[in-house]
Amino acid sequence: MKTLRLIIIVISISIGSASILYFASFYDFAPSTTDNPFGINATVSYVHNLKISCPYQPCGPLNAFGLSYTSQKPVQLISYNICGGIYCIKQGNFASYGRGGTPDSPVWGGSTTLGEIPWKVGDTVDVRLKVQPVTIKENGDMVPEPENMLFIDLGQSKITERND
């Protein structure tokens, strides 16, 4: 009987440990900062009639969750980590350069679709972005500054709904 109890305990611990490791793999425990020297804001939205390029026309309206960001300084988005409850989505190793504003309003921004997520409009999520500043040369070329890369914790954000 003791052997059976021991086997049950070992199996329970193994299942529990595997579950914790599974969910922990979605959370990025890399050091992040709340210091935001680039003036970045980010929102998660459910976007109606999202405009994307389509290989075939006509392209029907696309409704999808998206991450939009703005920055007071030119940056390159390297990755994101968005968590709500026990579910997280991560995307890394891509390069999304923000689009520049006007000389009077030098706000940079960009967006990306997030794919299938379990949240809904009104839910609260935590948003963290890994970004690096870029220098813009006179000819318009952008030169990344990987030595100044930051993983910025932007805190909680409520998912909104937009019609584009």
Side-chain angles (χ1 to χ4, degrees), residues 65-81:
F65 283 95
L67 170 69
S68 300
Y69 67 95
T70 59
S71 176
Q72 295 299 315
K73 297 180 181 176
V75 296
Q76 177 184 22
L77 177 64
I78 303 298
S79 66
Y80 59 80
N81 184 350

Side-chain angles (χ1 to χ4, degrees), residues 110-129:
S111 62
T112 184
T113 56
L114 300 176
E116 294 296 318
I117 59 177
W119 307 307
K120 61 186 181 307
V121 172
D123 287 350
T124 300
V125 293
D126 293 302
V127 178
R128 295 193 298 163
L129 305 179

Side-chain angles (χ1 to χ4, degrees), residues 13-145:
I13 290 172
S14 297
I15 291 172
S17 297
S19 298
I20 289 170
L21 289 173
Y22 174 76
F23 286 113
S25 69
F26 290 107
Y27 282 87
D28 193 341
F29 294 108
S32 63
T33 180
T34 56
D35 184 33
N36 187 353
F38 310 117
I40 296 174
N41 290 310
T43 58
V44 176
S45 302
Y46 186 71
V47 184
H48 295 278
N49 300 318
L50 184 67
K51 293 170 181 48
I52 61 169
S53 60
C54 294
Y56 302 103
Q57 296 294 331
C59 210
L62 174 67
N63 301 327
F65 283 95
L67 170 69
S68 300
Y69 67 95
T70 59
S71 176
Q72 295 299 315
K73 297 180 181 176
V75 296
Q76 177 184 22
L77 177 64
I78 303 298
S79 66
Y80 59 80
N81 184 350
I82 303 169
C83 296
I86 63 168
Y87 188 80
C88 289
I89 57 170
K90 293 190 317 184
Q91 177 65 46
N93 300 323
F94 71 98
S96 172
Y97 289 97
R99 296 177 301 278
T102 65
D104 297 329
S105 177
V107 174
W108 293 76
S111 62
T112 184
T113 56
L114 300 176
E116 294 296 318
I117 59 177
W119 307 307
K120 61 186 181 307
V121 172
D123 287 350
T124 300
V125 293
D126 293 302
V127 178
R128 295 193 298 163
L129 305 179
K130 187 178 286 186
V131 297
Q132 65 185 353
V134 295
T135 300
I136 302 171
K137 292 186 168 188
E138 287 182 21
N139 65 3
D141 286 349
M142 294 186 193
V143 180
E145 300 175 24

